[in-house]
Amino acid sequence: MEFFELGKISLLIGFGLIVLGFWGILSQKNIIKIILSFTIMETGVNILIVSLGYVKGKTAPIIDSAVEQGANHSVLGQVVDPVPQALVLTAIVIGFGTTALLLAYAMKLFKAKRTLQINNFNDLKW
Amino acid sequence: MVDPIYIIAAALGVGFAIGILGNIGRNFAGGLTLATIAFMSFVSAQWFAGFYFGNVSSSYIFTAGFQPPLSINLLMGAEEAFLTFIVNLLGLLGGIYLFVNFKRKGRNAFVIYLVLLMGFNVVIMTRDIFNLFVFLEITSIATAGLILIEKGNRAVGAGFKYLLATSIISSMLLIGIIFAYFYTGTLNIDMIIESNLRYMVGGPIIIFLILISAILELKPFPANGWGLDVYEGAHQGFSAIVSAGTATASLYMLYKLLPIASPEWSYYIALLGAVTFIGANLLGVKQRFARRVLAYSSVGQLGLLMLILGLRGFLGPNVNYVFFGILITNILAKTGFFWLVGIVKANEIKEWAIIRRKPFLLFLMGVFIFALVGFPPFPSFFSKWTFVMDLANHGLFGWISVIIIGSFLEAVYLMRWFGYAVKSEDDYKFDFKIQIHKITPIIILTALLFVIGYFTAQFTETGAMINFIPLLFVAVLYFADALPIWVKNTIAILGMGIYFYFTYPQLDNLRLIFEVIFIIGGILTLIAGYNYKGKRQGFYPVALLMFAGLAAIIEAQTTLEFFYGWELMTAGSYFLIIRGKKSMPHALSYMLFSLGGAYALLMAFSIANIGVVFPSLDILNNIANYPVWAYGLLLAGFLTKTASVGLHIWLPGAHGEAESDVSPMVSAILLKAGVFGVLLTLIGMGQSTYDLGTLAYILGWVGAITVFVGNLGAVFQEDAKRLLAYSSIGQLGYIVFAFAIMTHLGWLTGFTYTINHFMYKAVLFLTIGAVVLRVGTHNMYEMGGLIKRMPLAFIAVLIGIIALSGVPPLSGFTGKWLFYNAVIEKGWYFQGVLVFFSGGLAFLYLYRLIQTVFLGQLKDNLRNVKEISFWFLIPIYVLIIGLMVFAAMPQLVLQPLGTLIANYFPNNQLVWEGSYAYTAIGHWTGTGVMISIMVMFLGTLLLVKLSTRKAHKLKQFDIVFSGERPHRPETTHVAHNMYAGFYKAVWPFTLPAVETFWNWISDFIHETAGFVRRIYSGNGQAYMLHIVLFIIIMFFITIGGTI
Amino acid sequence: MSIYLKLGATLLGFLIVLNWGMLMSAIFRKIVARLAGRHGIPFYQPWIDLLKNIGIRTTLTHGVMFYLGPIFRFTGALGMFLFMPALFGSDLWANFSFQGDIVLILYFQLFGMLGMALGAGEGGHPHSTIGITRGLAQHAAIELPLTLGIIALAIQYQTLSLNEIIAAQQGGMANWSIFTNPVAGAAILLAALGAMGHSPFNLVKAPNEIPIGPPTEYHSTYLGVLMSSGAVLHVMEAALFMNLLFGGATSWPEFILKTFLIYFYSVFVGAVFPRFRIEQSVVWFFKIPLALGILAILLISF
Amino acid sequence: MKAIVQEITEKYNLQNAVFQRDNMAFVEVEKKFAIDLVTFLKDYHQFSHFVMMSCVDWIEDGQFQLLYLLHNPALKVDIGIKTYLNRTEPVMQSAHHLWKQIWTYQREIKEAFGIDFPGSPNVDENFVLEGWTEIPHMRRDFDTAAYSEKTYFPREGRFTHDPATYMREKLYPNQPVTAKKNTNE
Amino acid sequence: MNDKINEMLQRSAQNANQSEKSFIRPEDEEREVIAPDGSTIKINPIYDYFSGKKPQEEKPLNGVVEKFLNWARAESIWVLGFGTGCGSIEIPPLMTPRFDAYRFGVQMRATPRQSNAFIISGYLSVKTLKRVIRSYEQMPSPKYVLALGSCTINGGMYYDSYSTINRLDKYIPVDVYIAGCMPRPEALLAGFMKLKELIKEGKAEKANEYARNFDEYKANQKKIIKDWNMPDYNW
């Protein structure tokens, strides 16, 4: 039954969100919904990053009271892999940046053609 | 050496400073940005110079004080230095170009621009894969940001699609990275490579994710709608930087990531590159808008670079040389062109006629187009050459044909665009002005193009042998274009004279003949140039370019030098032809046929170069592998220049529409370059150990049919110059057929015809050109009765047609007599008879020429037209003296020729006893026949003149007109539709079968392009779907579905 | 064999041929008259016509090329006689045939035609130009079977020089090339029909359509020169075919007899057939004569 | 045939209709109705064939008489429409729009009689004579013999014999005259 | 309707003064033409296109040569194929077996340039006279005219016609008149015999006579040919 243990579940959720996000981008006609589904995908990826760093039975990589420090105790043995969590921070910031810019675009697109349907913005073609 | 980290530090520092300092002056902010970019380019320039002069080795930069697995490290190797230097330099020039634009948008535009450049630098230098992802995202956000803050909503849609697409790609990359970390435990690329990820379970899928996003960044063909829209939509100055920057950065990123994956990936990348290169250029053919054409062209060039990346395994040592050569040309030319579009602001390519208002811009556009298509002296020419040579060494002819087809398609639409710019009517209201800050970057780029072109040439050993002096002479003439005509003309003639004086001693007899035809012929036709008034802008540099090319061909020792001369000649002659008034479509077809021919030569040379260290010209003598293919392609290439049947449709238009003194240059001289080529090939075939009889036999038939098609076409022409152009096709058919006989007599005939054709075709074209200048029209039925006004022109054309038709006293008969003997001795009876019948047809169109133009009724508006200009008469009568001497004493020329040919074909030569020539089956004397005919002629003339002393001179209407008086000269002059009866008998042969064939092909290309480009529907979502589908398809292709 | 004697002999030969040509045209007109039941002209009529034309007092000229036309034509006729051996074997009457072979003769025909064409063109009369265009088109078509036939002969005898061809045909009727190489002979004879310019192919000087075509504007001495060169050309055309196919002539009577018969072969054919339009005559030469020519070469070369 | 003539007589109150033969009739109509009558006959009564158009110079009553002769191919009957023009103002409405051959007839009549048909295609061009300066030559007030006498050089002493008497004196000089003597001089 | 009437009246008035207007067609009037280099050229369709020189007498040579040439000219008379009036149907029979004029060296030629005799066979309307004069003047110098029928002698039965001339020799010199209201071919042959005698005696020099009093002939001709758009002497 280890299939349903914590690490795997979060992986599945992450992949699920990514697929959901992709589906949203490809199917929704409204730009805001596209941006929303993009953020869903973004969070899916972030969950994936974090869940990959999970080590069963280890605690968060913050050296505080929950982790015994001591001469012979190596902290690494007790904590989960810290690098993915560092990476996820940057990924979230970048995700945030992109979404902000997308929303700014959505605003300008709306101002341009008073509509948010993606199909109306295909003037540069062929 | 300044530590490269300062590049990033400076950029970030100034970016934050501008942000923090608040409302400092925009100029100050702009100045500060430019200063930082200058500093960044200085750093990378310092490193690049270090590497170039060899005293520096590549060094790693460690951040945050830790070793790689724990921290990001950057590398400043030779490639990185070079690429960052390019990006920064472009950034600097872009900054200058966009200074006013950014100033208008505000300070943060400068900041974003700075961040963008920093992003490119880091993507090139970083060795950490996550860092790569971060800075990739930064560049895409910066690009989208710059597009967003532009006024107007032209590019908003494109920006949105761009941002969405790049975000999806980078999230795929992120997934790949995180799994790579999960498997290998490190983010450093070098370590990932060592951990040979690809052998682990599930490793290939990770590699697939990473590489596919790297590839998608390079906008591969089906999934690059979003990239095209940005290039087209964004402000030109800016889209230039994006196109150049992303190209360099993402290409290098892919190069860094490739070692991770298994070797097949290079094959897949090469495949994708090929698809993009051909696909983008195919679609470019159908485009009408200037920016969109440029967008397709840059995507196409990206495809080519991917192709090189994919095939780098086969390039051995000069992978850098090829890659950087083409990259540099693409970047410089593409950016320059984008900025040029920014200045000219014409939307449709047809409207580009307005560029003619500033000839300097037209020159710039010409430079960029010729650089992109890969003409000498630009770097892409040498790189493409080396690339094709190395591929051929490994027998990869499939890839070579891909390159050739792609570059041909690119040449199609770029040349057409240039044709519109030079020739379409300029009746557009809107105008443009040149700001100084926009033009200076472009000038710098052009200068760089030439300089780098020269250095790339020096880089290779064969390239170094190319003699660049003639090209310098052309440049001198270009800058002296403001001088009056007679100054430039004298300089040009002196230049050629001196060149001839220095080079002719070293040449053997064979090359000497062609040298005389090219240079002395050139001087003679240039003398006719004195007739023109004013400055005649742009004629002399271009004419000298052609002659420089011709000289280079003669002088060539190596195949590269020959190909270099060949391309120069094509460029020069293209510019010459396009000067004619209605010559745009013909110049375009001429260029495309010549390019087709040039690429055939390239392919042939590549086959010849297999396994050869030093590609000297005599490797053509015994091509080891696939000789039939090699010689066939060589012949095909040269036959486009001699306009043999099937490849002849460009000649009538090109020579017909050219200017009066250009048509003789192009017709009498240029076609001989093709003949020289055919000659070299045939010498090669002669010495080759393989049996190439069938190839010579086919060449014979091609020559014979060309004679028939050329002469028959000429009979029914209404336009005098078109008639002479068709006659040139016919005469060239003679020459090709004669050389194809491959016997002593055959070659002697070929040479006689080459010399003869040069002389009488130059005479005919010069005279008719001068007459056209006087009369103002090409149509023969509008001229007539000019013998009374232009007796000297009449005598010249009379001698010309007697010589051309082969009537005994003159030199044409020498050719015909040798022809008879050669054909009977060789045994090619039926081709021979077809040629003799076409000789009869020659007589028809020659009579038509002289009757409609000089005899018959003098039209009203030509009553007091003056004799043709004195400057035309000099070369004409010099050539006529030449013809007469050659007719009277043929042995003066034929004997030395005989000895020359003897060392190729020793047996059954032409035996000379004094002035009597004997072959195995016939005898003839030139001087004897000339004397007896002259005596008979003068005798009868004397007799008749005596008995008709007091003849009364009549005027034009004193003719027997069945009792009536003729009312108008137009109604009594027989000129229009002159051989109506003969047409009714032979019309099936005059149907334009070849034209319809070529038209069908061009329509086919246009239809497919029109059909395929439908996939770019402009809808953002559709583009995203393309990306996803592309990923799925590539997934199945590359990993075949195994996880 | 001093050059003067040779020149004198050639001149004498030319006079013989000139008078024989005039006589032959008189006989031709007499035969056509007899066919129509008329007495026809006295046999000396051509001489009188020539004399009368030379005697005409006014001469008009349209320009330089106009009066050079007949001179070219006459030089062409004189040259045809000069470059062809009149009598085989006799050094006296071999004329200047040592200067060139049959190619020279073939292409020298064009010399006369070119001059005539330019002269008629200068005349400015539309009919003369139309006549010339028809003549040239027809000549181009004639050249096809003629060249095929001559090449077939050249292969058979392995030579292009006329003397050697005649030499090979000596010794009786049997080895005349009309019998040894009949197909080539047939092709050449059909081409001869066109070369002679009698009825089926006399469109060039068709009297009623375009009043005698090219020489419309010519009169007095010019017309005299044209008539005499026309007469010589008729004889020399016949002589060419004689030398090619019928074993040449070793004595003047044989020369006269053979040229007479060849000339009247085309006359009799002409008397029976109506005149062809230009496209019909050109196409006619592309049918049977062309086929015969190709067959001749195929037979000889394999 | 009678029915047709009857109908047009009432319609255009024609004066004396003459039945030359049972398939040939002549009617006279005023000048201004002439063309209307011709058009009426052509369109309503299938007189589709235009036979001829002629003109007679009645100098005595100072009038030109124009005759339009039409033929009905179905009924195989002809009808001639006569109109009278005043000699002093010889102008008639042109009928060139009905049949093309009328152009030539009108051109001839213009040259011969000087009757002008304004609007008829190239009516002023020479029909037969070139450079004719006298009054129209078919008018009866034009004396051709006098004109010939004046312009061309008549040979003196030319006289005409009456063939009948002259031949009889020549052939049978002393035969008695049986036939009645004609008096032509 | 009445504006149509007075418009007709106005037209007929304008035609009345036709006599003064010149008969030269617009094509033959002077015109301006733009040359290729932009300058304008004045074209006078009569003096620019025709040599327009006066004919001059061509004296016969001295005795014996002229006699011999006259003999040759008599023996080969080439007749111009130009039939006017009803007599031209009499000429073809000469070429048939019954009469066979070839025996006497008489031959029909298509162009005036190559012909010596001109047969005026019948009445000559003013229109035809204009063409006859041009063809006659284009014939080379020793040229003879045979006039058939009474119409050329004294106008014949068309003596009182307004358009035919009465005496031919007022317009072109005539060598031999052959009387008859169309003489039969035999008479025509007799005419030729008469002409031969005249030529042999050297009395057939009418061409020089035409040249001598050329102006008088030309005045007569121009009096009746009003639309003379040709040069005075047609070479």
Side-chain angles (χ1 to χ4, degrees), chain B residues 29 40 49 160 227 250 382 421 426 483 492 547 626 660 746 778 800 817 887 1004:
Chain B
M40 284 156 71
F160 178 73
S250 10
F382 299 104
D426 167 13
L483 298 173
F547 287 118
Y626 322 109
S660 286
H778 282 201
W817 179 68
F1004 175 73

Side-chain angles (χ1 to χ4, degrees), chain B residues 774-776 860-864 952-961 963-969, chain E residues 25 27-28 31 33-36 41 43 45 47-51 53 112-113 131 134-135 138 229 235:
Chain B
R774 280 281 184 265
V775 163
D860 289 350
N861 61 356
L862 305 179
R863 286 202 79 78
N864 27 18
H952 167 73
K953 294 267 176 309
L954 297 181
K955 286 214 183 136
Q956 61 187 78
F957 272 0
D958 292 327
I959 54 174
V960 162
F961 211 60
E964 288 294 333
R965 57 147 289 172
H967 286 292
R968 297 186 65 81
Chain E
R25 290 155 49 137
E27 275 162 11
D28 304 335
R31 54 179 182 263
V33 172
I34 308 294
I41 308 167
I43 304 278
Y47 300 110
D48 289 350
Y49 293 134
F50 296 93
S51 63
K53 271 183 38 210
R113 290 281 188 238
R131 277 72 186 180
R134 178 168 167 89
S135 297
Q138 280 185 334
N229 56 6
W235 286 94

Side-chain angles (χ1 to χ4, degrees), chain E residues 83-114:
Chain E
T84 66
C86 42
S88 56
I89 199 62
E90 299 298 330
I91 297 168
L94 295 181
M95 304 307 154
T96 55
R98 184 177 171 82
F99 302 101
D100 195 1
Y102 282 106
R103 290 170 291 158
F104 311 109
V106 172
Q107 195 184 18
M108 295 293 280
R109 287 306 286 186
T111 70
R113 290 281 188 238
Q114 293 166 5

